[in-house]
Amino acid sequence: MTPGQRAAWQALGLGPVWVRRDARAALGEGLDPSGAELPRPDEARRAPPSPRETIRGEAIRGEAIQAEMARSADPTPMPDWESLQASVRTCERCGLCRSRQQTVFGSGSPTAPWLIVGEAPGAEEDLRGEPFVGQAGRLLDAMLAAIGLDRARDVFITNVLKCRPPGNRNPEPDEVARCAPFLRRQIELLAPTGILVMGRFAAQALLETDASVAGLRNRVHRYPVGGAELPLVVTYHPAYLLRNPADKGKAWADLCLALARLPRQRAAAG
Ligand code: URA
């Protein structure tokens, strides 16, 4: 482990952890290119279904989001990146436009291999116009650093909702549904090699399910786009991890899984 990775590991509150060799087998070969220790075997195995995890309180149901998405399907032609940014900036599709300071389209490198999807901007993101710049964002940065990724260079980060829900309340199903075409088009245009999904709301919206993070993490899902299927890994939201540090080991296992299964390089053109 390099000194930088050790610092990131400590920032995550994870180490040191020593594991038996069979833990590596349980997670797959070569999950940690740095040679860092992997989580304990019991953390690495699939978590049994558990009561619904709550990020900001009351749960919303995947079916409700899907029903809203069907109702609010967007018939307009698909915009390019700049037009999409402009559409988001001036969006009035739901009531969040009345309380926001500004929209939060996303940040990072549009040519980066990975896309990271969170839930919605919070207070600091709403002020600064960038995703994950508050306390949860600092933990996300540490999580990325722990696997050797830089948020400006190696990923593009966005949220399901482009506007802050007032008081950081949960997103409403109709807000998710009305915003979903923006995320969908971002994924089409970015064409990432894989998607890392942070938390229940993003996972439920992208995977069209009402399952909990505990039920969705620790495996590779497929997200269909443009005739292909992108590998997608779900993990806990950094804000949840700040409140539930005992689950950081599981998040580490998910990051290792993402490293192993989401390609770090785009295929060469032509
Ligand atoms: N939480 C999120 O899901 N996204 C942000 O941008 C900030 C906090």
Side-chain angles (χ1 to χ4, degrees), residues 56 118-122 125 130-133 136 159 237:
R56 290 180 188 159
E119 178 183 322
E125 290 79 16
E130 264 191 67
F132 282 104
V133 289
N159 287 305
H237 193 284

Side-chain angles (χ1 to χ4, degrees), residues 90-234:
T90 56
C91 178
E92 297 184 348
R93 288 180 181 197
C94 77
L96 295 181
C97 65
R98 290 192 287 279
S99 51
R100 73 182 180 219
Q101 299 293 318
Q102 60 191 310
T103 58
V104 179
F105 183 75
S107 72
S109 167
T111 58
W114 289 13
L115 174 66
I116 295 181
V117 181
E119 178 183 322
E124 284 188 57
E125 290 79 16
D126 182 52
L127 280 178
R128 289 177 49 187
E130 264 191 67
F132 282 104
V133 289
Q135 208 190 353
R138 287 188 281 283
L139 178 56
L140 175 60
D141 289 347
M143 292 165 73
L144 293 177
I147 54 170
L149 299 183
D150 176 77
R151 72 179 274 152
R153 187 192 58 207
D154 301 315
V155 296
F156 190 85
I157 306 176
T158 191
N159 287 305
V160 171
L161 293 190
K162 310 306 185 206
C163 296
R164 179 192 182 205
N168 294 348
R169 66 160 168 74
N170 286 338
E172 297 288 348
D174 76 300
E175 293 161 354
V176 174
R178 285 164 201 276
C179 224
F182 292 138
L183 177 58
R184 173 89 198 156
R185 187 61 182 151
Q186 282 181 308
I187 296 172
E188 287 169 355
L189 290 167
L190 291 166
T193 61
I195 306 176
L196 180 61
V197 178
M198 319 294 302
R200 175 169 60 87
F201 283 88
Q204 291 181 345
L206 284 169
L207 295 174
E208 307 188 358
T209 176
D210 62 356
S212 66
V213 170
L216 296 170
R217 60 166 294 276
N218 201 25
R219 60 193 157 112
V220 180
H221 302 266
R222 299 273 145 197
Y223 181 82
V225 61
E229 289 196 320
L230 298 177
L232 181 155
V233 169
V234 174

